[in-house]
Amino acid sequence: VISFGVLFSFNLTNLSLINLRYGNGGVQRVPTIDALVWILMIALAVAGYTCQQGLVDPYLAGDSISSASLGGFITSAVVSIAILCFLGFGVKQRYQSSGQDIYKAKGVPFIPGFAIFCNFFLIASFSWANVGYFLAFLGLFLVTYIINLLRASRTWGEEVPSESDMNSTISGSEASDSDLEQTANQ
């Protein structure tokens, strides 16, 4: 059994790979690509969910497939394929041929896009209660992380002595560079 968090983290990894490939590694250099990647994630989530819940589950249960589910799947799949083709064929030459030394995996963005779709397809089979538990714990961990980050930044600012404080701690006289280094090393 695979967990919701693992599938979601796989999606984030694949989205990061797409972003990195087109120039947004660590810093947002191309905001258009970043926006397209977010839209791609939403479209693939809708496509995976509607495919699993609206097409495959009813088919396997012997029920009829609703036209709304089919329309939602087709629309989101077309949007996803259009974005993938734009990224794969249109943007590739503009942003990738700049000679940057970046990780260049074969099949990007198509293979990561297909993996994202498959992961969202699997995520759609989880109960809403499990998704809610995951989101609750994610929220709890993020709040805890932010509180600790703020607490650490406040403490760090108090612990780091300024250069003038360091000068005044050395026997009241004019401090030399070697004295400052010795004080900093202690």
Side-chain angles (χ1 to χ4, degrees), residues 101-142:
D101 193 23
I102 62 171
Y103 181 70
K104 296 182 179 178
K106 301 282 185 202
V108 174
F110 303 107
I111 293 172
F114 181 69
I116 292 167
F117 167 78
C118 291
N119 289 334
F120 277 122
F121 179 87
L122 293 173
I123 286 171
S125 66
F126 285 93
S127 70
W128 284 105
N130 289 338
V131 174
Y133 295 144
F134 172 79
L135 293 176
F137 279 107
L138 178 65
L140 176 69
F141 291 132
L142 286 176

Side-chain angles (χ1 to χ4, degrees), residues 92-110:
K92 186 176 183 177
Q93 299 306 318
R94 274 188 264 161
Y95 296 111
Q96 220 175 4
S97 62
S98 63
Q100 294 176 341
D101 193 23
I102 62 171
Y103 181 70
K104 296 182 179 178
K106 301 282 185 202
V108 174
F110 303 107

Side-chain angles (χ1 to χ4, degrees), residues 23 41 43 106 125-126 146 149 175 178 185:
M41 182 185 74
K106 301 282 185 202
S125 66
F126 285 93
I146 290 170
L149 189 66
S178 64
N185 290 333

Side-chain angles (χ1 to χ4, degrees), residues 5 15 32-33 46 54 76 119 151 156 162 178 181:
L15 292 167
T32 306
I33 299 297
V46 171
S76 58
N119 289 334
R151 195 176 296 158
W156 175 257
S162 67
S178 64
E181 287 177 32

